[in-house]
Amino acid sequence: MTNQVRKEEKKLNNETKHTSVIVALLIATFLTAIEGTIVSTAMPKIVEDLGGSELYTWVISVYLLATVISTPVFGKLADLYGRKLMFTIGTIIFLIGSMLSGLSQSMEQLVLFRLIQGIGAGALTTIPFTIIGDVFEFKQRAKIQGWISSMWGIAGIAGPLVGGFIVDTISWHWIFYMNLPFGIISLILLWVSLKEKIEKKKQVIDYAGILMFAICMTSFLYALTLLKEHKQLTGSITAFLVVALIGLCLFIWIEAKGKEPMLPLSLFKNPLITVSNIAGFLLGFILVTVTFYIPLWVQGVTNLNATYSGIAMLPMSVTWPIGAIFCGKWLSNKSIAHVTLIGTLVIILSCTGFVFFQTNTPVPIMMVVTAFIGIGFGLAFTAFTVAVQSAVEWHLRGAAMGSHNLMKNLGQTIGIAVSGLLLSDQLKGPALESSLHSVFILLVILAICSFVVTSVLIRKKESELAVR
């Protein structure tokens, strides 16, 4: 009887700790999810107070750049030094950047402090997924992933509302200060609840790989930023692309030779990781394009106001976590390959629905299509994330998740630049309608590509797709 009581107490303690871990990760995810929408909402007021309108886009771009670069770096460091330590360092950097951003007295300062904040955000966007893979068994991961996904949906709805309220009633400075208490709570919960054993030995850090990766990504993303502005190749854009290509080649060479490479090339021998990363890139491209251009269609083609843009996109925020929850249920009796194929097929059908939009297409019809694509993203993104979490052992899980999040981020970054090249300079009327149809056709092609890539998993033997 005593042993039974002890077992029950141990089980209850583990469940309590797991609950605390989940809450800590949900808070961390919400902070990074809401950052983009809340800052975008406050930017007009920030520019009004600080001036420097020419740096408007850099306040957001430099944050994204830093996040893209630091994401795989934190993933690898979490494998070397443990999730808890690197999560703590990343959160502290993020909170320092938040506090300094709130104290900014000029746009130059804000850009610099947002860079710091973005570096910390790289940890908050990668390590939570790594921890989920460590703490929870395969069948539980998708369910937890569904809760994590719901944070993005909630943030998408709450960000503009909270941002507008804070700016109107208090001050824009507080959109950054509000991160402090939530970040501290997340840290405390994780330190109390997460136990991990790290082998104490001298670790080798891939400084050369990190430096070359930073040079490569900075050059490439800056070239994309210039491409969005000029909408054609120029001498300077070409030069940055050449630097990025040379940097990429050197980075691959360094990683192939390194003792503890930041991004182990051996990861890409695993079909689950390779397919998930390629599909993640394609779906990231689709996601950012839908997020930006459906609201533009509503306002520029249908001639409705911004409120209707939000209404048209609202279903996607609601159905995404629903799709993630269904993913969790289906993974218990279906393979990852089958669930991802269902998700990508739903995305293909939804993108095809966008192609058939007309000037007089009513908002409720748009809501139906965005609801379906939300389900598709919930199924596909969740299944691919679980696939990467489950494809490797503990010592490679951080690097694997870092590579996956990097590919999704690159897909979104490249997506907004490439789709912008197809967009008409006329943001109203028939010209805009025609160019957006071209963008939607491109999305159908990319969705089909993601389906084809994913179908590779069907042809693999179960032994090649072993999950942990």
Side-chain angles (χ1 to χ4, degrees):
M1 185 68 179
T2 304
N3 289 336
Q4 182 64 28
V5 170
R6 287 175 180 172
K7 287 181 180 179
E8 291 297 325
E9 287 180 349
K10 185 177 180 180
K11 181 180 178 182
L12 182 61
N13 287 335
N14 287 336
E15 290 177 352
T16 302
K17 289 177 180 178
H18 284 179
T19 301
S20 297
V21 169
I22 293 170
V23 173
L25 300 183
L26 289 174
I27 293 172
T29 302
F30 183 75
L31 286 180
T32 53
I34 201 172
E35 191 64 27
T37 53
I38 200 170
V39 172
S40 298
T41 303
M43 277 307 297
K45 182 60 177 176
I46 293 174
V47 171
E48 182 183 324
D49 285 358
L50 300 182
S53 58
E54 69 279 1
L55 296 175
Y56 185 106
T57 57
W58 278 103
V59 173
I60 297 172
S61 297
V62 77
Y63 175 87
L64 296 176
L65 170 64
T67 303
V68 168
I69 293 173
S70 63
T71 291
V73 175
F74 272 111
K76 179 59 181 180
L77 292 178
D79 287 338
L80 295 177
Y81 297 102
R83 325 307 193 201
K84 192 188 304 190
L85 176 61
M86 298 318 301
F87 180 86
T88 301
I89 292 173
T91 303
I92 290 173
I93 293 173
F94 179 82
L95 296 181
I96 289 173
S98 297
M99 183 179 66
L100 292 174
S101 295
L103 294 171
S104 298
Q105 299 300 309
S106 68
M107 284 290 278
E108 289 79 9
Q109 289 181 5
L110 183 58
V111 169
L112 174 62
F113 299 148
R114 286 279 287 169
L115 175 67
I116 297 172
Q117 193 184 22
I119 292 173
L124 301 186
T125 55
T126 294
I127 296 179
F129 298 111
T130 308
I131 293 173
I132 291 171
D134 295 341
V135 175
F136 300 97
E137 295 181 355
F138 174 75
K139 291 183 179 180
Q140 295 176 299
R141 290 170 190 163
K143 181 175 71 173
I144 308 302
Q145 206 68 50
W147 298 345
I148 295 289
S149 298
S150 69
M151 290 297 99
W152 290 91
I154 293 170
I157 299 169
L161 298 175
V162 173
F165 176 79
I166 291 175
V167 169
D168 292 340
T169 59
I170 310 174
S171 167
W172 64 263
H173 300 274
W174 283 92
I175 67 169
F176 298 109
Y177 296 151
M178 66 175 281
N179 291 334
L180 300 178
F182 292 106
I184 292 170
I185 291 171
S186 178
L187 276 180
I188 293 172
L189 287 173
L190 198 72
W191 269 95
V192 169
S193 56
L194 182 63
K195 306 297 181 186
E196 57 181 2
K197 295 179 181 179
I198 306 298
E199 182 182 354
K200 293 185 177 180
K201 65 176 184 178
K202 186 176 181 180
Q203 302 288 4
V204 178
I205 299 178
D206 183 18
Y207 292 110
I210 292 172
L211 176 62
M212 194 53 60
F213 180 75
I215 292 172
C216 171
M217 285 295 101
T218 301
S219 301
F220 179 65
L221 296 178
Y222 186 62
L224 288 183
T225 300
L226 294 177
L227 189 61
K228 280 191 290 185
E229 294 177 1
H230 298 284
K231 290 200 172 185
Q232 62 180 0
L233 279 176
T234 64
S236 58
I237 294 174
T238 303
F240 279 111
L241 289 175
V242 169
V243 171
L245 180 60
I246 294 172
L248 177 62
C249 294
L250 290 174
F251 173 71
I252 293 173
W253 181 77
I254 291 169
E255 298 307 278
K257 300 290 184 181
K259 184 178 179 180
E260 280 289 354
M262 183 196 88
L263 193 62
L265 301 183
S266 60
L267 288 174
F268 299 98
K269 294 179 181 178
N270 187 309
L272 272 178
I273 292 178
T274 301
V275 170
S276 296
N277 286 354
I278 295 172
F281 174 86
L282 295 171
L283 295 181
F285 190 121
I286 296 170
L287 172 62
V288 74
T289 307
V290 169
T291 304
F292 273 85
Y293 290 145
I294 295 302
L296 182 59
W297 176 281
V298 173
Q299 295 179 63
V301 177
T302 312
N303 291 318
L304 298 173
N305 60 32
T307 300
Y308 283 99
S309 296
I311 292 172
M313 292 300 297
L314 181 61
M316 189 173 83
S317 299
V318 176
T319 57
W320 185 315
I322 293 174
I325 292 169
F326 272 110
C327 177
K329 293 181 181 297
W330 287 349
L331 282 179
S332 62
N333 51 38
K334 294 182 184 293
S335 69
I336 285 176
H338 283 98
V339 176
T340 51
L341 283 173
I342 293 171
T344 50
L345 179 60
V346 173
I347 292 171
I348 291 172
L349 296 175
S350 301
C351 291
T352 304
F354 295 141
V355 174
F356 287 98
F357 279 6
Q358 301 295 324
T359 307
N360 59 353
T361 299
V363 171
I365 297 296
M366 299 181 194
M367 294 173 70
V368 171
V369 180
T370 57
F372 272 100
I373 202 168
I375 292 173
F377 283 136
L379 288 170
F381 272 126
T382 304
F384 284 128
T385 301
V386 172
V388 175
Q389 289 169 337
S390 308
V392 293
E393 300 288 356
W394 188 96
H395 69 285
L396 284 175
R397 188 168 288 134
M401 284 310 309
S403 73
H404 186 58
N405 286 331
L406 169 65
M407 293 303 291
K408 288 194 294 186
N409 289 338
L410 282 178
Q412 294 187 50
T413 304
I414 294 173
I416 201 63
V418 172
S419 58
L421 295 177
L422 299 175
L423 195 64
S424 169
D425 292 331
Q426 303 291 326
L427 296 183
K428 290 282 184 181
L432 176 62
E433 180 178 354
S434 176
S435 64
L436 284 176
H437 271 135
S438 299
V439 171
F440 296 153
I441 291 171
L442 174 62
L443 297 189
V444 174
I445 295 171
L446 293 176
I448 292 172
C449 289
S450 69
F451 182 87
V452 172
V453 168
T454 303
S455 67
V456 170
L457 296 179
I458 290 287
R459 297 195 296 272
K460 293 290 181 181
K461 297 177 182 178
E462 285 298 318
S463 58
E464 296 180 84
L465 302 179
V467 294
R468 298 166 176 84

